[in-house]
Amino acid sequence: MTRVRMAVIALGAYLIGALSGTVTQGQGDKWYPSRWGAADQRGAANRLTPAKVLDARSMITAGKVYQLGRTYEAGMPLYGTRHYSLKVPYAFAMPGKNQANYHDDIISGELTQIGTQFDGLGHLGIGELFYNGNRKSDFATPDGLKKLGIENVGAIVTRGVLIDVAKYKGVPRLQSPYAISVADLTGALQREKVEIHPGDVVLIHTGWGSLWMKDNATFNANSPGIGVPAGEWLASKEVVVVGSDNWGVEAFPNPDPNLTAPVHQLLLAKNGIYLHENLATEELARDGVYEFAYIFAPLKFKGATGSPGNPIAIR
Amino acid sequence: MTRVRMAVIALGAYLIGALSGTVTQGQGDKWYPSRWGAADQRGAANRLTPAKVLDARSMITAGKVYQLGRTYEAGMPLYGTRHYSLKVPYAFAMPGKNQANYHDDIISGELTQIGTQFDGLGHLGIGELFYNGNRKSDFATPDGLKKLGIENVGAIVTRGVLIDVAKYKGVPRLQSPYAISVADLTGALQREKVEIHPGDVVLIHTGWGSLWMKDNATFNANSPGIGVPAGEWLASKEVVVVGSDNWGVEAFPNPDPNLTAPVHQLLLAKNGIYLHENLATEELARDGVYEFAYIFAPLKFKGATGSPGNPIAIR
Amino acid sequence: MTRVRMAVIALGAYLIGALSGTVTQGQGDKWYPSRWGAADQRGAANRLTPAKVLDARSMITAGKVYQLGRTYEAGMPLYGTRHYSLKVPYAFAMPGKNQANYHDDIISGELTQIGTQFDGLGHLGIGELFYNGNRKSDFATPDGLKKLGIENVGAIVTRGVLIDVAKYKGVPRLQSPYAISVADLTGALQREKVEIHPGDVVLIHTGWGSLWMKDNATFNANSPGIGVPAGEWLASKEVVVVGSDNWGVEAFPNPDPNLTAPVHQLLLAKNGIYLHENLATEELARDGVYEFAYIFAPLKFKGATGSPGNPIAIR
Amino acid sequence: MTRVRMAVIALGAYLIGALSGTVTQGQGDKWYPSRWGAADQRGAANRLTPAKVLDARSMITAGKVYQLGRTYEAGMPLYGTRHYSLKVPYAFAMPGKNQANYHDDIISGELTQIGTQFDGLGHLGIGELFYNGNRKSDFATPDGLKKLGIENVGAIVTRGVLIDVAKYKGVPRLQSPYAISVADLTGALQREKVEIHPGDVVLIHTGWGSLWMKDNATFNANSPGIGVPAGEWLASKEVVVVGSDNWGVEAFPNPDPNLTAPVHQLLLAKNGIYLHENLATEELARDGVYEFAYIFAPLKFKGATGSPGNPIAIR
């Protein structure tokens, strides 16, 4: 091949990159195809095995169930221009002497991205590229995602670990925007005498959730959460989901003013690890429950970017 | 008291009854207040205890998880005038050099009463009266139910039992509208060598779900399901939820042409027992799994009549 | 008939009244059937005739068109729990070498009762009773109104009159909650040298609309508007629509603390006269245009309580 | 410049073109900036003047109004995956002795692109390019269009002309997919003794609307409508809107199997001329009304691609 030909190809490649938005600071490393193959759509959900289910089973000793899902209701904090509406239509009268009548609910909103929400792999990307190098223009359609839809995840039944960073730092609520460090995570785990295993779900208690429906303006303005190194450390632990009691799991804004949501990119796009946001972790924290069975089955909205729901922890 | 006065009072009472819709055939028995007190809003969910959670735990031996929720998607069967719409808006571009962008989903519909759905105690009543004698006009508002909302139920983690009536009758799919009898239930349970315990969830496999997305017109037209005596027998077993792979759990139309949805009334209103509809029971049936941990936490849509979701069975 | 029998019937009638909510203070007069017959569903729209269209035509002299509809947008004032959402889904790609692609809008909300809105006769009633004595339970269904739906109104092309009460009172904006009197209306009309004719549409400029999107909290909190006597006077003038630049046409709260929205009841229910709310009347007022062709054709949402839209005035 | 450099640039340009989708067959001609300047967002609406309003006024002789909007209702034909839902929530009870209570409607759907619909300039483009060369990525956002939104159009009050092509061809309904030719238009106009003037709105009666709610499957499958030459002829006549009683104004499929919706591209993108679809033209046709005042003011949904509505014709 001549040098001219190579130069042409190089320029073409550069132009493709520039146009498609993959020239991203710090994204030079090769992060796809995924470790589960180029066709994989489930990411870290592949770490879920019968053994992890039995792991979760072994956490259940007291038979106590914690609901981690917040109530969806008017007045809850909402990100950006998202909305939530529930109305009850007039009762429908059924025929028959037994006078059955029923009512439904009409709900509208960005249902997969409000309140307690589980981010799927099609939710957020790096420029045009999403998990496993899937290009947005190849799978995003107005009628739902053709790939990476939330229906691919499956039920998550595994061991869960709560890292109470607020407790470790000796405050009821971390300041915002504090970026939780690796040392914070390891220190808190040491205090809790708990370790993370591959295939676990890790929930981080920041105390930020105490503002929910109490001071929505502060809650929404920004948020403490994990920083990029903490995210990388969690990814290295081969977890399945990282959740928290804030709206974005990670610190907003990021300490680096040039970056927005880099932990989302790191976990979702590069590592196929899911995010679970706006979790009600306060009761686990109050009771000092640091190990438990975490159970959540995303609603199978075909082609959706995420799922609402009411995940549970059992001990 | 004079006879005239008594006659006046009797007429008044009759008029009240006629106007308020409580004069219902066969509903003369006193079914409220509930056994859990006049203020109770949770019904049979009160049967859920740590002991039942440990009961569920003991069902988990293989670590295999079954998703019982169907996919919510365009083209699924819908009852009446209900609808479901999911659209993906244009991606939102975030500021920053790291080029994060994300998309949401806009969903609208009778989300609590389409596809796999869990009926709450505020969904269906007897004339004006719902569970625990709550009068519709006292708790139904355009902005949600003031009582009996689905957020009161809590997480359900208990032993589940599958009654494969289709298998017992030797057919892949019961004919419609076949009303499953008590003998069908007891016969099938005997074949399965399984018993129902108080606090269990009972799922009934009719095979009707095999029509889902295959022949929606037939699926929707009517349905095999339990009859009133079978419903009464299940209520006597003190279960928490009765679920099935059809759209209404019970037989539609009812064998008595004067009745519509009497099993809904019996279970929801009179006994506080929940219904779980359009469950994907076929894999449990195929694998002959008749006992399992049933886990479902209704989404906490405040004031809603029910919940969508992806319940699971674990063995 | 014996006295006893009569007493029984009287008591029964009382009970019916008490239960059905027709015993309303000051509503003792007989206001139905309507002057257009017991079956009529169009109310004052019956006053629209070809002669009124030609009347409107004669108002058009300069060929100048005023849009009276406000922009529907995020951040506009909304009453109660109503909402408005518009999202643009990803573009749909069409097949073909010509690369056509298009986008839609997904809209949800109480579309007939937000922003510039036209109240139909099925919107508001007196207890159970609506226009022409229609009982709510007889025509309101979850899937739309079986009677009095907005699709019955038809196009309104008639003479319009603007009564600039703010100008007459010498203020840019009436104080709230000022109840506009008959003297205010007649005084302002005298200043304008304009008379109201049967079949006209009357718009009232209060200046309250200047708060739109500027100070939504004040705009929504309450409102100046016509009082009951002014409403009665307008009804006596046999108009078709009464509109204004506020969210409810009438004064909120009413000077009588025992009454809420009595002018709605008076105009809609008793007189079949429509209301047009949140009109952009400021340009007409600025230009001193007090007579014009008013043109509005409600969107034919079958069974709806009202209509959004962009009514126009032409001079 | 060396040949190598030129080759590199050529390759780069090709890659840019291929990626951005502007390499379109037959679109080589320069169609932007628009004749109304590079910043214009209103297109042919610029042809609307006071003189055209007076032109419309002169059409009004009998005072007869025709509603051209179809009823929005369950069961109407819908294109693609669009939906429409209207539900009536429970009545809201207001405080006060006068027992006011009201109900709203909850509506969801692709409201600007269902039923009778008016296509704005942001609805459909040529690859990435829309009216006036606006690039989709520059103005389409998830929260609405930043340019070309329907709120820019303004009220349309002008002379309208009905071309009854079905009558001219001697059939109640054109066959599908018949592409109406220039000769059809000129022949029909000659029969009607009517001419098109600049600034007019032209409506084309095909009879296809007679299938509305009668045979939705046939109605939706394809459609007679104008072909590209007829579209070009209409554009040369400097009209403002082209409307019809079918779902897409133009012939679907196009006679050229390589093209989809080329008339949309021609009128909307290249000429800034609006489309009005699913009009109820049958009464005008029945009465032989070929000239009239056409009046339509798009709803000002900020950033929307189109508008629903109930346009009217007056003679």
Side-chain angles (χ1 to χ4, degrees):
Chain A
M1 194 181 276
T2 67
R3 280 167 57 191
V4 169
R5 236 182 239 164
M6 284 188 292
V8 169
I9 287 166
L11 178 60
Y14 172 79
L15 288 165
I16 289 172
L19 283 164
S20 62
T22 60
V23 182
T24 307
Q25 190 193 46
Q27 311 290 7
D29 52 323
K30 191 64 185 160
W31 51 274
Y32 57 94
S34 81
R35 72 185 71 190
W36 297 284
D40 178 65
Q41 299 188 49
R42 296 185 66 222
N46 286 293
R47 291 181 176 131
L48 299 167
T49 60
K52 288 305 294 182
V53 176
L54 297 177
D55 218 4
R57 176 191 187 278
S58 70
M59 297 290 111
I60 304 173
T61 53
K64 180 159 184 182
V65 183
Y66 294 83
Q67 297 185 70
L68 304 179
R70 298 215 180 276
T71 302
Y72 300 94
E73 61 187 305
M76 65 179 163
L78 296 165
Y79 180 82
T81 59
R82 293 170 184 158
H83 81 285
Y84 170 72
S85 167
L86 177 148
K87 295 279 168 177
V88 180
Y90 269 101
F92 291 79
M94 303 185 98
K97 289 188 180 167
N98 59 326
Q99 299 186 297
N101 69 72
Y102 66 91
H103 24 225
D104 296 346
D105 313 281
I106 282 277
I107 297 181
S108 75
E110 287 79 358
L111 253 290
T112 62
Q113 298 292 341
I114 58 174
T116 298
Q117 63 199 261
F118 181 91
D119 285 355
L121 302 181
H123 175 50
L124 190 143
I126 302 169
E128 283 285 316
L129 296 181
F130 284 62
Y131 173 71
N132 224 342
N134 283 292
R135 188 170 292 275
K136 184 170 62 175
S137 53
D138 288 340
F139 73 93
T141 86
D143 290 316
L145 309 179
K146 287 190 294 184
K147 286 186 183 175
L148 308 184
I150 201 69
E151 72 278 16
N152 296 296
V153 178
I156 305 173
V157 181
T158 190
R159 179 172 175 262
V161 166
L162 180 80
I163 309 181
D164 189 342
V165 179
K167 178 86 171 181
Y168 174 69
K169 305 291 273 190
V171 294
R173 182 169 74 230
L174 296 180
Q175 286 191 317
S176 179
Y178 179 72
I180 294 166
S181 68
V182 175
D184 292 336
L185 297 183
T186 55
L189 283 166
Q190 205 165 1
R191 191 195 70 79
E192 294 173 359
K193 299 186 173 54
V194 170
E195 289 186 348
I196 299 173
H197 307 153
D200 280 356
V201 165
V202 173
L203 310 184
I204 293 159
H205 182 70
T206 69
W208 199 247
S210 62
L211 296 167
W212 182 266
M213 296 284 286
K214 298 281 194 327
D215 182 353
N216 290 350
T218 302
F219 181 85
N220 269 338
N222 46 43
S223 172
I226 57 176
V228 171
E232 283 170 343
W233 185 82
L234 287 165
S236 77
K237 291 294 180 185
E238 302 189 350
V239 300
V240 176
V241 178
V242 179
S244 193
D245 59 343
N246 53 16
W247 52 266
V249 174
E250 65 182 298
F252 282 92
N254 194 272
D256 180 343
N258 290 318
L259 300 180
T260 304
V263 178
H264 273 66
Q265 295 180 322
L266 172 71
L267 295 180
L268 291 171
K270 290 189 171 178
N271 288 283
I273 294 173
Y274 299 89
L275 300 176
H276 217 156
E277 298 162 340
N278 287 327
L279 294 174
T281 52
E282 56 271 14
E283 292 185 17
L284 290 177
R286 181 199 61 201
D287 292 358
V289 177
Y290 303 125
E291 289 184 288
F292 44 84
Y294 163 100
I295 301 178
F296 180 62
L299 276 72
K300 296 198 285 181
F301 289 131
K302 189 171 187 175
T305 67
S307 174
N310 188 2
I312 58 173
I314 316 180
R315 69 174 174 94
Chain B
M1 194 183 273
T2 67
R3 281 169 55 193
V4 168
R5 237 182 238 164
M6 286 191 290
V8 168
I9 287 166
L11 179 59
Y14 172 79
L15 287 166
I16 289 170
L19 282 166
S20 62
T22 59
V23 182
T24 306
Q25 191 192 46
Q27 310 289 7
D29 53 321
K30 190 65 182 160
W31 51 276
Y32 57 93
S34 82
R35 71 184 71 190
W36 298 284
D40 178 66
Q41 298 189 50
R42 296 183 66 224
N46 287 294
R47 290 181 177 131
L48 299 167
T49 60
K52 288 304 294 183
V53 175
L54 297 177
D55 218 5
R57 176 191 187 280
S58 71
M59 297 289 112
I60 303 172
T61 53
K64 180 160 184 183
V65 183
Y66 294 84
Q67 297 185 70
L68 304 179
R70 298 214 180 277
T71 302
Y72 299 94
E73 60 188 305
M76 66 179 162
L78 295 165
Y79 181 82
T81 59
R82 293 171 185 159
H83 81 284
Y84 170 73
S85 167
L86 177 149
K87 295 280 168 175
V88 180
Y90 268 101
F92 292 79
M94 304 186 98
K97 288 189 180 165
N98 59 327
Q99 299 188 299
N101 69 74
Y102 66 90
H103 23 227
D104 296 345
D105 313 279
I106 282 276
I107 297 180
S108 75
E110 287 78 359
L111 253 291
T112 63
Q113 299 291 341
I114 57 174
T116 298
Q117 63 199 261
F118 181 90
D119 284 355
L121 302 181
H123 175 50
L124 190 143
I126 302 169
E128 283 286 316
L129 297 180
F130 284 62
Y131 172 71
N132 222 344
N134 284 291
R135 190 170 290 276
K136 183 169 62 174
S137 53
D138 289 340
F139 73 93
T141 86
D143 290 316
L145 308 179
K146 286 190 295 184
K147 286 185 184 176
L148 308 184
I150 201 70
E151 73 276 16
N152 297 296
V153 178
I156 305 173
V157 180
T158 190
R159 179 172 175 261
V161 167
L162 180 80
I163 308 182
D164 189 342
V165 178
K167 179 87 171 182
Y168 173 68
K169 305 292 273 190
V171 294
R173 182 169 74 228
L174 296 181
Q175 285 190 319
S176 179
Y178 178 71
I180 294 167
S181 68
V182 176
D184 292 337
L185 297 182
T186 54
L189 283 166
Q190 205 165 1
R191 191 195 71 78
E192 295 173 357
K193 299 187 174 51
V194 170
E195 289 186 348
I196 298 173
H197 306 153
D200 280 356
V201 164
V202 173
L203 310 184
I204 293 158
H205 182 70
T206 68
W208 199 247
S210 62
L211 297 166
W212 182 267
M213 295 284 286
K214 299 281 194 325
D215 181 353
N216 289 351
T218 302
F219 181 84
N220 269 338
N222 47 40
S223 173
I226 57 176
V228 171
E232 284 170 343
W233 184 81
L234 287 165
S236 76
K237 291 294 180 184
E238 303 189 352
V239 300
V240 175
V241 178
V242 180
S244 194
D245 60 342
N246 54 16
W247 51 266
V249 174
E250 66 183 296
F252 282 92
N254 193 271
D256 180 344
N258 291 318
L259 301 179
T260 303
V263 177
H264 273 65
Q265 295 181 321
L266 172 71
L267 294 180
L268 291 171
K270 291 190 172 178
N271 288 283
I273 293 172
Y274 299 89
L275 301 176
H276 217 156
E277 297 161 340
N278 288 327
L279 294 173
T281 52
E282 56 271 15
E283 291 185 17
L284 290 177
R286 182 200 59 201
D287 291 357
V289 176
Y290 303 125
E291 289 183 290
F292 44 84
Y294 163 100
I295 300 178
F296 180 62
L299 277 70
K300 296 199 284 182
F301 289 129
K302 190 171 186 175
T305 66
S307 175
N310 188 3
I312 58 173
I314 316 179
R315 69 171 176 93
Chain C
M1 192 183 277
T2 68
R3 280 168 58 192
V4 169
R5 239 183 236 166
M6 284 190 290
V8 169
I9 287 166
L11 178 60
Y14 172 77
L15 288 165
I16 289 172
L19 283 165
S20 62
T22 60
V23 181
T24 307
Q25 191 194 48
Q27 311 290 6
D29 53 323
K30 191 65 184 161
W31 51 275
Y32 58 92
S34 81
R35 72 185 70 190
W36 297 285
D40 178 64
Q41 298 188 50
R42 296 184 66 223
N46 286 293
R47 291 180 176 132
L48 299 167
T49 60
K52 289 303 296 182
V53 175
L54 298 177
D55 218 6
R57 177 190 186 280
S58 70
M59 297 291 112
I60 304 172
T61 53
K64 181 160 183 182
V65 183
Y66 294 83
Q67 297 185 69
L68 305 179
R70 298 215 181 274
T71 302
Y72 300 94
E73 60 187 306
M76 65 179 163
L78 294 165
Y79 181 81
T81 59
R82 294 170 184 159
H83 81 284
Y84 170 73
S85 167
L86 177 149
K87 294 280 169 176
V88 180
Y90 268 100
F92 292 79
M94 304 185 96
K97 288 188 181 168
N98 59 326
Q99 298 187 298
N101 69 73
Y102 66 90
H103 23 228
D104 296 346
D105 312 281
I106 283 276
I107 297 180
S108 76
E110 288 78 358
L111 254 291
T112 62
Q113 299 291 342
I114 58 173
T116 298
Q117 62 198 263
F118 182 90
D119 284 354
L121 303 181
H123 175 50
L124 190 143
I126 302 169
E128 283 284 317
L129 297 181
F130 283 63
Y131 173 70
N132 223 342
N134 283 292
R135 188 170 291 276
K136 183 170 62 175
S137 52
D138 289 340
F139 74 92
T141 87
D143 290 316
L145 309 179
K146 285 190 297 184
K147 286 185 183 176
L148 308 184
I150 201 70
E151 73 277 16
N152 296 297
V153 178
I156 305 173
V157 180
T158 189
R159 180 174 175 262
V161 167
L162 180 81
I163 309 182
D164 189 342
V165 178
K167 178 87 172 183
Y168 174 67
K169 305 291 274 189
V171 294
R173 182 170 74 230
L174 296 180
Q175 285 191 318
S176 178
Y178 178 71
I180 294 167
S181 68
V182 176
D184 292 337
L185 297 183
T186 55
L189 284 166
Q190 205 165 359
R191 191 195 70 79
E192 295 173 357
K193 299 186 172 53
V194 169
E195 289 186 347
I196 299 173
H197 306 152
D200 280 356
V201 165
V202 173
L203 310 185
I204 293 159
H205 183 70
T206 69
W208 200 246
S210 62
L211 297 166
W212 182 266
M213 296 283 287
K214 299 278 195 326
D215 182 353
N216 289 350
T218 302
F219 181 85
N220 268 339
N222 47 41
S223 172
I226 57 176
V228 171
E232 284 170 342
W233 185 80
L234 287 165
S236 77
K237 291 294 179 184
E238 302 189 351
V239 300
V240 176
V241 177
V242 180
S244 194
D245 60 344
N246 53 15
W247 52 265
V249 174
E250 65 182 297
F252 282 91
N254 194 272
D256 180 343
N258 291 318
L259 301 180
T260 304
V263 178
H264 273 66
Q265 294 181 322
L266 171 71
L267 294 180
L268 291 171
K270 290 189 171 178
N271 287 283
I273 293 173
Y274 299 89
L275 300 176
H276 217 155
E277 298 161 341
N278 287 328
L279 294 173
T281 52
E282 57 271 13
E283 292 186 16
L284 291 176
R286 180 198 63 201
D287 291 357
V289 177
Y290 303 124
E291 290 183 290
F292 44 84
Y294 163 100
I295 300 178
F296 180 62
L299 276 72
K300 296 199 284 182
F301 289 130
K302 189 171 187 174
T305 66
S307 174
N310 188 2
I312 58 173
I314 316 179
R315 70 175 175 91
Chain D
M1 192 181 276
T2 67
R3 280 171 54 193
V4 169
R5 235 182 237 166
M6 286 190 292
V8 169
I9 287 165
L11 178 60
Y14 172 78
L15 288 165
I16 290 170
L19 282 165
S20 62
T22 58
V23 182
T24 307
Q25 189 192 48
Q27 310 289 7
D29 52 322
K30 191 64 184 161
W31 51 275
Y32 58 93
S34 82
R35 71 184 72 190
W36 297 284
D40 179 65
Q41 298 189 51
R42 297 184 64 225
N46 286 293
R47 291 179 176 133
L48 298 167
T49 59
K52 289 304 296 183
V53 175
L54 298 176
D55 217 5
R57 176 190 188 278
S58 71
M59 296 291 111
I60 303 173
T61 53
K64 179 158 185 184
V65 182
Y66 294 83
Q67 297 185 71
L68 304 179
R70 298 215 180 276
T71 302
Y72 299 94
E73 60 187 305
M76 65 179 163
L78 295 165
Y79 180 81
T81 59
R82 293 171 184 159
H83 80 284
Y84 170 73
S85 167
L86 177 148
K87 294 280 168 175
V88 180
Y90 268 102
F92 291 79
M94 303 185 98
K97 289 190 180 165
N98 60 327
Q99 299 188 299
N101 69 74
Y102 65 90
H103 23 226
D104 297 345
D105 313 280
I106 282 275
I107 297 180
S108 76
E110 287 77 359
L111 253 291
T112 62
Q113 298 292 340
I114 57 174
T116 298
Q117 64 199 260
F118 181 91
D119 284 355
L121 302 182
H123 174 51
L124 190 144
I126 302 169
E128 283 285 315
L129 297 180
F130 283 62
Y131 173 71
N132 223 344
N134 284 291
R135 189 170 292 274
K136 183 169 61 174
S137 53
D138 289 340
F139 73 93
T141 87
D143 290 315
L145 309 179
K146 286 190 295 185
K147 287 186 183 174
L148 308 184
I150 201 70
E151 73 276 17
N152 296 296
V153 178
I156 305 173
V157 180
T158 190
R159 179 172 175 262
V161 166
L162 181 80
I163 308 182
D164 189 343
V165 178
K167 178 87 170 182
Y168 173 68
K169 304 292 274 192
V171 294
R173 179 168 76 230
L174 295 181
Q175 286 192 317
S176 179
Y178 179 71
I180 295 166
S181 67
V182 176
D184 292 336
L185 297 182
T186 54
L189 284 166
Q190 205 165 2
R191 191 196 69 78
E192 294 173 359
K193 299 186 174 54
V194 170
E195 288 185 350
I196 299 172
H197 307 152
D200 280 357
V201 165
V202 172
L203 310 184
I204 293 158
H205 182 71
T206 69
W208 200 247
S210 62
L211 297 166
W212 182 266
M213 295 283 286
K214 300 280 195 324
D215 182 353
N216 289 351
T218 301
F219 181 84
N220 269 338
N222 47 42
S223 172
I226 57 175
V228 171
E232 284 170 343
W233 185 81
L234 287 165
S236 76
K237 291 294 179 184
E238 302 189 352
V239 299
V240 175
V241 178
V242 180
S244 193
D245 60 344
N246 53 16
W247 51 266
V249 175
E250 67 183 296
F252 281 92
N254 193 271
D256 180 343
N258 290 319
L259 301 180
T260 304
V263 178
H264 273 67
Q265 295 181 321
L266 172 70
L267 294 180
L268 291 171
K270 291 189 171 178
N271 288 283
I273 294 173
Y274 299 89
L275 300 176
H276 218 155
E277 297 161 341
N278 287 327
L279 295 173
T281 53
E282 56 271 14
E283 291 185 17
L284 291 176
R286 180 200 62 201
D287 292 358
V289 177
Y290 302 125
E291 288 183 290
F292 45 84
Y294 163 99
I295 300 178
F296 180 62
L299 276 72
K300 296 199 285 182
F301 289 130
K302 190 170 185 175
T305 67
S307 174
N310 188 2
I312 58 174
I314 317 179
R315 68 173 177 94

